[in-house]
Amino acid sequence: MERYYQPEIETLPYEKIREMQNEKIVKQVKHVYENVAYYRNLMDEKGVKPEDIKSVDDIKKLPFLSKADLREAYPYGLLGTDLKNCVRIQSTSGTTGKRVVAFYTQHDIDLWEDCCARAIVAAGGTNEDVCHVCYGYGLFTGGPGLNGGSHKVGCLTLPMSSGNTDRQIQFMMDLGSTILCCTPSYAAYIGETLAEKGYKPEDNKLKAGIFGAEPWTEEMRRQIEKSLGIKAYDIYGLTETSGPGVAFECSEQRGMHINEDHFYAEIIDPETGEVLPEGEKGELVFTSLDKEAFPLLRYRTRDICVLTREKCSCGRTHVRMSKPMGRSDDMLIIRGVNVFPSQIETVLLNEGYTPNYQIVVDRENNSDTLDIYVELSADQFSDKMAETQKREKVLTDAMRAMLGIGPKIHLVAPKTIVRSEGKAVRVIDKRKLHD
Ligand code: DLL
């Protein structure tokens, strides 16, 4: 039996969701126009007044916001309410340029935690669960978001934060964690470490994992599910819209339901900005319908995906987004060919390798180079040169078939690629350093 955290909203017929969105958007645009000078200027420049927005169909008249706007308006320029009404900030994990700082009123935190609670219940969570949160706590939204959602569901919450894998495992085994929340790359690392310590998948009490914050493939999902003996659910979100829980997977595991009562989603052509019809691939754009402190309208996420309104067997009526196929700015253009790191991950896992790899792109003699470092497991490792060369050749051919270009494969010894405790850094693009 499918369970919901807020069944009256999660299974609301689409027409009713639409009515709710229409009411909220009128109020929200007025709120932003009156309180956020930065956005008011953008609307004035475009000649749009709050009265022009009568329903979500009119959202397309509004100007976009991008990361560049957030930088320009940093830190307070997009604040939608008096600072005295704000109770929290969170910030992006970005390492370059100015970080994004998002503000929250108590109302904003409540709605965000509700979204996370919906995700936990969709993964089978109840007040009998032990929810082990090892997303980072602090400025990153992962830990605080899932922590709040877990409290709302009534789970026993373990606020582990990331790192110290031995301690994670000790608590997990001693306290009988049943739901694991972390990045997929960290989940894979926990699985690997459990196996090294001699535990079998059935030795732990975990039943589900809620993994997101970075791209991961279906092959990675299967690998994690096997190594931990769980069902692995995807969760999506970004600091700019609140954090994790903007969208989450249900038992069907075919796309993530977007919490449409709070976030209106559009797919646009990233080049022209034109809104694309349902089912077409493009850049995901969000309008927050009822956030008070950081009410972004038409925020361009740079995440590329597809939306579908096809009926879902779980009974939820909210639109589903496909797994983001990498950010538009993550896509590598190598010798003129578009390469997504996820394609590389798919080939590696299908060919029986571990998810420990690193992609290095560089430029030599005016031509791009693509090197993929792939770690061998202990049983794959061989000190016979001929055997390693043969493996490298097979993998190079499989990559060429998928990518359209041939990379240089380097098979490296077990435990030589650094493990990630948060978002994994898979790609090093050295061309950016030379430019
Ligand atoms: O990563 C929020 C989050 C925390 C989501 C925990 C899920 C779980 P940011 O650090 O602002 O926020 O990064 C947001 O991460 O635009 C995507 O490119 C990427 N991302 C987030 N979730 C997924 C996912 C958090 N499930 C950026 N699949 C987003 C692929 C994801 N990419």
Side-chain angles (χ1 to χ4, degrees):
M1 243 287 274
E2 189 77 31
R3 291 177 54 260
Y4 314 98
Y5 177 66
Q6 289 167 312
E8 66 295 349
I9 297 171
E10 293 176 68
T11 61
L12 193 68
Y14 174 54
E15 310 75 66
K16 297 274 179 208
I17 297 178
R18 199 76 180 180
E19 271 172 33
M20 194 188 231
Q21 291 179 324
N22 287 342
E23 262 171 45
K24 287 189 179 187
I25 190 66
V26 172
K27 280 198 207 131
Q28 184 72 323
V29 172
K30 192 163 173 287
H31 167 69
V32 172
Y33 193 82
E34 283 167 7
N35 293 289
V36 185
Y38 188 94
Y39 200 77
R40 178 164 61 239
N41 291 339
L42 292 180
M43 282 177 65
D44 288 346
E45 271 168 30
K46 228 177 167 231
V48 194
K49 292 277 166 241
E51 307 77 79
D52 299 328
I53 310 300
K54 299 191 178 69
S55 74
V56 284
D57 287 334
D58 296 323
I59 283 185
K60 55 182 177 299
K61 298 179 185 162
L62 292 169
F64 290 117
L65 278 174
S66 67
K67 193 97 158 189
D69 292 300
L70 265 54
R71 290 210 180 100
E72 201 179 321
Y74 175 90
Y76 294 125
L78 288 160
L79 198 61
T81 182
D82 260 9
L83 262 191
K84 69 172 192 289
N85 301 324
C86 297
V87 296
R88 172 99 68 83
I89 71 146
Q90 302 285 166
S91 178
T92 52
S93 40
T95 46
T96 51
K98 276 186 191 146
R99 284 165 170 263
V100 169
V101 175
F103 299 84
Y104 303 74
T105 61
Q106 189 55 50
H107 160 270
D108 297 337
I109 288 190
D110 270 340
L111 77 82
W112 172 29
E113 292 180 349
D114 281 344
C115 290
C116 290
R118 289 180 195 174
I120 294 172
V121 172
T126 69
N127 59 5
E128 294 186 2
D129 279 296
V130 179
C131 185
H132 185 123
V133 185
C134 42
Y135 285 112
Y137 278 62
L139 289 173
F140 179 52
T141 54
L146 269 306
N147 191 91
S150 171
H151 276 222
K152 289 216 171 196
V153 177
C155 304
L156 172 63
T157 310
L158 308 190
M160 300 296 301
S161 197
S162 58
N164 199 340
T165 308
D166 282 345
R167 188 180 60 193
Q168 302 280 358
I169 288 178
Q170 190 188 346
F171 272 87
M172 178 182 289
M173 301 311 279
D174 292 351
L175 295 172
S177 308
T178 54
I179 299 179
L180 179 66
C181 306
C182 60
T183 57
S185 51
Y186 195 43
Y189 181 35
I190 291 178
E192 180 188 352
T193 314
L194 277 169
E196 276 169 15
K197 288 183 183 293
Y199 291 112
K200 293 195 203 58
E202 57 276 19
D203 293 338
N204 70 64
K205 290 226 171 69
L206 291 173
K207 62 177 187 189
I210 304 180
F211 307 132
E214 64 184 7
W216 54 312
T217 56
E218 286 302 326
E219 291 74 18
M220 179 86 159
R221 187 207 302 266
R222 282 196 285 279
Q223 166 127 0
I224 296 171
E225 289 188 330
K226 200 161 142 226
S227 74
L228 293 172
I230 58 170
K231 190 155 172 166
Y233 295 82
D234 203 351
I235 184 166
Y236 169 89
L238 58 163
T239 315
E240 293 88 326
T241 53
S242 60
V246 169
F248 62 92
E249 249 178 5
C250 60
S251 53
E252 177 78 23
Q253 291 186 312
R254 282 179 55 228
M256 295 178 268
H257 291 280
I258 295 177
N259 285 308
E260 284 191 278
D261 49 327
H262 300 303
F263 306 103
Y264 180 80
E266 297 169 276
I267 292 288
I268 62 161
D269 177 332
E271 303 296 326
T272 63
E274 182 204 346
V275 179
L276 299 176
E278 184 196 323
E280 283 197 25
K281 185 164 97 179
E283 181 179 349
L284 187 57
V285 173
F286 280 116
T287 293
S288 84
L289 293 169
D290 46 12
K291 274 170 60 199
E292 296 171 339
F294 205 56
L296 300 189
L297 305 182
R298 293 202 98 193
Y299 181 67
R300 293 184 59 159
T301 63
R302 296 181 293 169
D303 291 321
I304 304 292
C305 72
V306 175
L307 297 183
T308 176
R309 285 214 170 269
E310 258 172 49
K311 196 166 178 295
C312 185
S313 65
C314 78
R316 288 180 184 77
T317 45
H318 294 215
V319 70
R320 273 176 294 160
M321 62 180 271
S322 64
K323 263 182 182 304
M325 299 155 191
R327 302 191 87 143
S328 46
D329 49 356
D330 270 356
M331 187 183 76
L332 297 162
I333 303 181
I334 301 171
R335 284 175 246 142
V337 177
N338 297 350
V339 172
F340 281 102
S342 58
Q343 296 174 301
I344 294 176
E345 184 174 294
T346 297
V347 174
L348 287 179
L349 298 189
N350 276 340
E351 295 289 319
Y353 290 94
T354 66
N356 301 311
Y357 62 93
Q358 192 135 49
I359 302 165
V360 180
V361 188
D362 205 344
R363 185 169 291 141
E364 264 170 36
N365 305 326
N366 290 324
S367 171
D368 296 330
T369 57
L370 169 61
D371 288 75
I372 308 176
Y373 293 81
V374 184
E375 193 180 291
L376 293 167
S377 63
D379 9 315
Q380 288 167 332
F381 189 60
S382 155
D383 48 13
K384 293 201 190 76
M385 185 79 133
E387 221 164 278
T388 307
Q389 281 175 343
K390 197 169 143 214
R391 275 187 172 278
E392 282 177 348
K393 162 102 183 42
V394 172
L395 192 51
T396 307
D397 291 346
M399 286 290 173
R400 188 178 289 111
M402 169 69 106
L403 310 174
I405 52 166
K408 173 118 192 56
I409 301 284
H410 308 261
L411 296 177
V412 300
K415 302 276 163 222
T416 45
I417 289 184
V418 198
R419 303 294 187 267
S420 137
E421 295 171 348
K423 293 185 193 239
V425 180
R426 302 285 197 197
V427 182
I428 301 173
D429 194 342
K430 294 189 175 164
R431 296 175 301 183
K432 288 184 185 148
L433 303 174
H434 310 317
D435 288 343

